[in-house]
Every structure is written in C-alpha cells, then in structure tokens.
Amino acid sequence: MSETGVIRRWMAAALLVLAAVPMLWTALEALRSGLQPQAWRSLPPEPGFWHAWALTLWTGLAATLLAWWCTAALLAQGFVRHGLARLLRGLPLMLATPHAALAIGLLFLLSPSGWLMRALSPWLTGLESPPPWATTQDPWGLGLILALVAKEIPFLLWTAATQLQRDDVRQRWRAEHAMAQTLGYTTHRAFWLVLWPQLAVRLRWPLLAVLAYSLTVVDMALVIGPASPPTLAVLAWQWLQDVEPTTYARGAAAGVLLALSTLACGVAWLAAQRLWRAAQAHGRGVRGRSTAHHARPATGVWLLGVLYAGVLVALAVGSFSGVWAFPALWPQTWTLEAWAQVVQSSQTAWTTLWLAALSSAIALAWSVAWLELAPRRWDQALRPVLYLPLVLPAVLWVVGLYGVGLRWQLEGSASGLLVAHTLIVLPYVLLALSPAYLGFDPRYAQLNASLGHGTWRLLWRVKWPLLRRSLASAAAVGFAVSVAQYLPTLYVGAGRFASVTTEAVTLASGGQRSLTSAYAGLQILLPVLVFGLAAWLGRPRRFRHARR
C-alpha cells in the first residue's frame, strides 16, 4: 500500500474514533442503565403498561406500513409516467416541517374546537359549542398515525429520490424497465418486479429509521397521541423524569424494551420483504395491472400538500388570533401579542439557531471527510454503528447521552448540548449525502490525474462544485433535524437551554393557542429558510455565451 493510502486510512480511523466511539459509549451506557433485573420485574405490574405497549406497536407498525405503501405507489406512478420531478417539487417544505410543529398544526386543525369543525358548524353539524369527541389524542392512536404517515412519506420519497437521481442508477433502471416491457410485462408490473425490489433494498436504512421513530416517538405523541394511557415511549419518558431511582430505572428498562421491539419488528419486516421478493421471482407477486394504475402521482402529493397547507394556515391564523369563540371560522380579534412574546424571548431562537448551524456544519464536514477517506468495506461494515442514533429509541438514547454527559462533565453545558445534537444529526446527514457522493463518476478523477492535478484541485474545482446541491441539501436536512430535537435538548441541557421545539411542545399542553402557534410557526420557518438557501446554493450554473 502506498504512503498516501496509509495516511488516508489513519485519517479515516481518526474520524471513526470521533464519531463511532461516542455513539457506542452512549449505547452501552443506555443499555447499562436499562438492564437492571429489578426494573424489568417492575414493568408488568405497572398500571397501563400492557395497554401502552400494545398502543406503541399498533401506532408504529400501522404508520410505517401506510407510509411505505404510499411511498411505493407514488414512486411507481412517478417513474412510469416520467413524473418524478413533479412528484418531488413540494418535498422541501414538507421535509422542513418539524414533527412537533406538524402535530401541533394538526391538533389545531382537527381538534373538536379546531378549524375543520368550525368550518362545518353550525350549518352542517348544528353545533354551537365544541363536541366531546376524541378527534385528536384519541384512545386508538389514529391522530398519531395520521401525523406520522404525513411526516414520513416525504422523508421516504426524498431518500428514494436521492437514489433515482443518480445518472448511473437511473439509466440502468430505465434500460431494465424497458427490457422487461419487451418481455410482455406491463409498465407497472415491470416496475414492481424489476425496479422496486432493487430500490427497496437501498431504502432499508431509511425504512428502519422510520420504523424506529414511529415506535418510539415522544414529542408527537405528547401533542396528538393517546393520553390515558399514553404510548410506551411517553410512559418511559414520564418515568425517566422521576427523581426516585427505581422509577428512573423502570423508565430506562422501558427504553430497552422499545429497542428490542424495534429490533424484532425490523427483522420481521426485512424477512417479509425477502419473502415477497422471492415470491415475485417465482411469479407469485404482483399480477397483471397494479391496483394503483389509475392513480396519478400528483394526486397523492396534492393531498399531502393540502394537509400541510391546512396545517400552515391554521398555525399562521392561530398565531395572530385574539378572542376566537366557537364556532366562528375566523378570530373576532387579531393581535401581535404572541409574536411580541417570541421576540422578547429571542434567546430561545438564538439557542436553536447556533445549535442547528454548528451541529449540521460539523456533521457535514465529518460525512464528507468519511466518504472521501474511508475504504468502502469500512464504510459498509460500520454503517450499523453510525446509524445507532437512528434506530435506538429516543428515550433510551437520551439516557445514554445523559450518562456520558455526567462522566465527561458536559451535562447542562452548551458544549455537551452541541455534542448531543451533532451525534443525532450526523447519521441523517450521512444518509442524505451518501448516494450522490458515492455515485460520483470516477472518470472525473481519472481525467484530473491525467492532467497532472492533485486531489485537492479535483475536490475544490470539480467534485464539490458538482455536488454542491447534494451538499447543501444534506446540510439543510441536518439543520432541520437539530431544530426538531426535543428530548436531547431537555435532558442533556438539564433545563438550562430552551429551544423553539421545547417551548412549542410544552405550550401545546396548555391553552395558549396563539403563543403555541407562534412557536410552532417559528419552528417551521427556520428550516424552511435554510432549505430555501440550500436550493439557491445548489441551483444549476448558467454560462453566458461570449459575444463575438
């Protein structure tokens, strides 16, 4: 091996120590806290435990299955009809909307006193006061399932698009799709038999991330999920906030149980996918025309767009509302009081900004260096470690972060909070950047070497400029992920740091509609501005023809 290759490997090893060691330490610390036998024995007799666990499995699996099926149907139609560009047009705004903000908007839209009920009253419903209906925070978790599906479809579509937008992959799959049609398959059957099995394999990590989040979500469940009893993740979070050691240990044990549930569901899901692919290979899969043949990709995205638009309008109107009696469709009085309070607490917005900006920048720099320096077999072997924050339950992960923070004396400090956010942001940035970076055409490097130029000239003048759209998008995703963090900010920050997300989720449990809407709106506005900046930085270069 050349001297340059040895140096590159040592640098990759140093990067691995910076990221993988803290992640493994955090995971081991969390498992150590959650594997106490006495805590596990206290779980079954606890009131509401079994119901909470059943709710968790039901809402998590139902949301993941629906999001996966909708994503597959939309991708099939978009690929067959050459409409992927139209399909992806509205995704940046949806991706920029944090989970908690979407849940708060849906709460104000669908609750008994929400905008939808106001629009139907009293002319259709005959109601003069909010009905005692469980339209949100229902005991079946339907509101939570709706919120999760609406948030995860854009994420899965976007991660699939990063694969389909690679020139080598897209051209090869188009050729395979055309060849399947020459063998007598319809366009949709060719997609499901030839292309979808390949794409599904590439989406296994995003899918596991969606599954893990759906099974272990806390902030959305606090806002729009069942309340009596709550999901197991919320129950675990409540136990972890108790100062009594046995109750805290019970919360950590519940976090480990959520991790085991996620692992079991993930293994079962991947096994079912393998059986499905095997059935298709033997001609027992999708037969004839697809059931989604008559649906257009724009229809599904249009429905999602209407839902997101309703959420945004509900939050915008709510943030300026004063007196707003039911069943009036619009507020009787308008006020800027909520936004004035947000401006007065500008430290909250500043904390959110610097945390998101620094953590996403550090994660982007690490990901670029890792993808550039690490051998491919290292990268493939270590992805499960680097994706630990994606697949471990948030309540269990923050237990590990808190333990590591205490050992490193970082608990309650700005540096500890930055480390916590960076560790969570990093796998999302790596996941977003990998397809484009690893799919970069190697002929550019060969041409650069033939001209006698070095590696740095290739990176600065060729590779990074050509990948600036993917780099900017990955940084924007990292920024949005940091803004959306609720549990790490509360737990590692020890209550000393407030972000727009912690304020919005806390206010959602009270009756301050206008102030809650203002913080949720700010929670959406910050990532939207960053995604807009990323789109501007990643715009195609236009060259002017020289005049003769």
Side-chain angles (χ1 to χ4, degrees):
M1 184 183 296
S2 65
E3 183 179 353
T4 303
V6 173
I7 294 175
R8 290 171 66 92
R9 292 202 173 196
W10 275 105
M11 294 175 68
L15 290 170
L16 187 61
V17 170
L18 288 175
V21 170
M23 288 181 181
L24 284 172
W25 196 341
T26 300
L28 292 175
E29 186 71 27
L31 292 174
R32 185 190 65 81
S33 301
L35 290 178
Q36 300 180 25
Q38 184 178 358
W40 278 84
R41 285 193 296 268
S42 69
L43 280 177
E46 190 66 25
F49 165 74
W50 294 103
H51 193 173
W53 192 16
L55 268 176
T56 294
L57 295 175
W58 154 244
T59 55
L61 290 174
T64 304
L65 180 62
L66 286 172
W68 184 246
W69 181 84
C70 292
T71 300
L74 290 172
L75 286 172
Q77 296 301 315
F79 188 88
V80 169
R81 297 176 183 271
H82 300 273
L84 284 175
R86 294 193 304 273
L87 184 66
L88 304 175
R89 194 170 297 161
L91 288 188
L93 177 60
M94 299 179 189
L95 286 171
T97 303
H99 292 79
L102 178 65
I104 293 171
L106 285 174
L107 181 69
F108 291 157
L109 194 64
L110 303 177
S111 66
S113 61
W115 218 2
L116 182 60
M117 192 62 68
R118 291 172 182 271
L120 300 176
S121 301
W123 64 276
L124 182 60
T125 63
L127 296 171
E128 295 292 342
S129 60
W133 299 343
T135 54
T136 57
Q137 294 186 319
D138 59 284
W140 311 281
L142 300 181
L144 178 59
I145 292 172
L146 173 63
L148 286 169
V149 171
K151 192 65 186 77
E152 301 305 348
I153 288 176
F155 173 70
L156 289 173
L157 282 175
W158 178 73
T159 51
T162 60
Q163 300 289 341
L164 293 170
Q165 288 176 344
R166 287 177 51 176
D167 289 336
D168 56 337
V169 174
R170 184 175 63 250
Q171 293 174 7
R172 176 165 55 84
W173 286 359
R174 285 287 180 195
E176 292 176 358
H177 187 256
M179 182 177 294
Q181 293 177 67
T182 63
L183 298 176
Y185 294 106
T186 63
T187 54
H188 288 80
R189 181 165 167 77
F191 176 86
W192 290 110
L193 287 177
V194 179
L195 303 187
W196 178 245
Q198 300 180 65
L199 182 58
V201 171
R202 293 170 180 255
L203 295 179
R204 62 185 180 276
W205 282 112
L207 173 64
L208 290 176
V210 169
L211 177 63
Y213 185 85
S214 300
L215 287 169
T216 63
V217 61
V218 173
D219 51 358
M220 293 185 86
L222 284 172
V223 174
I224 203 172
S228 297
T231 61
L232 185 57
V234 174
L235 202 58
W237 173 240
Q238 293 171 354
W239 290 334
L240 287 172
Q241 290 179 296
D242 200 299
V243 296
E244 211 276 320
T246 58
T247 307
Y248 180 89
R250 187 188 305 128
V256 174
L257 178 61
L258 285 171
L260 295 175
S261 302
T262 303
L263 177 62
C265 292
V267 171
W269 191 293
L270 294 177
Q273 277 193 324
R274 184 171 298 179
L275 291 175
W276 182 75
R277 290 196 301 269
Q280 282 195 319
H282 290 85
R284 297 190 300 270
V286 179
R287 294 186 180 276
R289 289 189 170 190
S290 169
T291 56
H293 178 76
H294 298 291
R296 294 180 179 272
T299 304
V301 177
W302 181 81
L303 291 175
L304 267 181
V306 168
L307 182 64
Y308 274 81
V311 166
L312 294 176
V313 173
L315 291 177
V317 173
S319 67
F320 293 102
S321 65
V323 177
W324 195 358
F326 189 91
L329 184 61
W330 300 100
Q332 282 85 356
T333 60
W334 300 84
T335 178
L336 293 173
E337 183 179 350
W339 286 104
Q341 293 185 47
V342 171
V343 172
Q344 290 175 3
S345 58
S346 57
Q347 184 62 35
T348 300
W350 169 242
T351 300
T352 305
L353 280 173
W354 73 257
L355 266 177
L358 285 180
S359 61
S360 58
I362 294 171
L364 180 65
W366 188 96
S367 299
V368 170
W370 174 257
L371 293 173
E372 191 64 41
L373 296 171
R376 292 287 76 83
R377 63 178 182 274
W378 285 25
D379 184 41
Q380 294 174 0
L382 293 168
R383 281 298 172 106
V385 176
L386 299 175
Y387 286 162
L388 278 175
L390 286 179
V391 297
L392 284 180
V395 289
L396 184 62
W397 184 253
V398 295
V399 168
L401 285 175
Y402 186 71
V404 172
L406 287 176
R407 291 179 182 274
W408 293 356
Q409 298 183 348
L410 295 175
E411 182 261 342
S413 67
S415 56
L417 193 56
L418 177 61
V419 170
H421 274 239
T422 303
L423 289 178
I424 295 173
V425 166
L426 191 148
Y428 285 94
V429 173
L430 183 63
L431 185 66
L433 186 60
S434 293
Y437 210 95
L438 297 178
F440 189 76
D441 195 337
R443 290 176 294 182
Y444 285 109
Q446 297 170 4
L447 180 59
N448 178 79
S450 68
L451 295 175
H453 300 314
T455 302
W456 280 109
R457 188 176 182 87
L458 169 68
L459 295 176
W460 283 104
R461 300 298 297 273
V462 180
K463 191 171 187 176
W464 290 344
L466 289 175
L467 292 174
R468 68 183 183 279
R469 181 178 181 181
S470 299
L471 293 168
S473 298
V477 169
F479 186 94
V481 169
S482 175
V483 169
Q485 292 308 307
Y486 173 68
L487 294 184
T489 307
L490 278 180
Y491 217 65
V492 181
R496 300 176 187 175
F497 299 88
S499 68
V500 293
T501 298
T502 60
E503 291 295 310
V505 175
T506 303
L507 290 168
S509 60
Q512 302 184 61
R513 177 192 292 267
S514 58
L515 189 57
T516 304
S517 299
Y519 270 107
L522 183 61
Q523 193 187 9
I524 296 174
L525 180 62
L526 294 177
V528 165
L529 292 176
V530 173
F531 268 93
L533 178 62
W536 180 77
L537 292 174
R539 70 192 187 282
R541 296 178 62 184
R542 296 181 179 181
F543 299 94
R544 296 181 179 179
H545 296 287
R547 295 182 179 179
R548 294 184 178 180

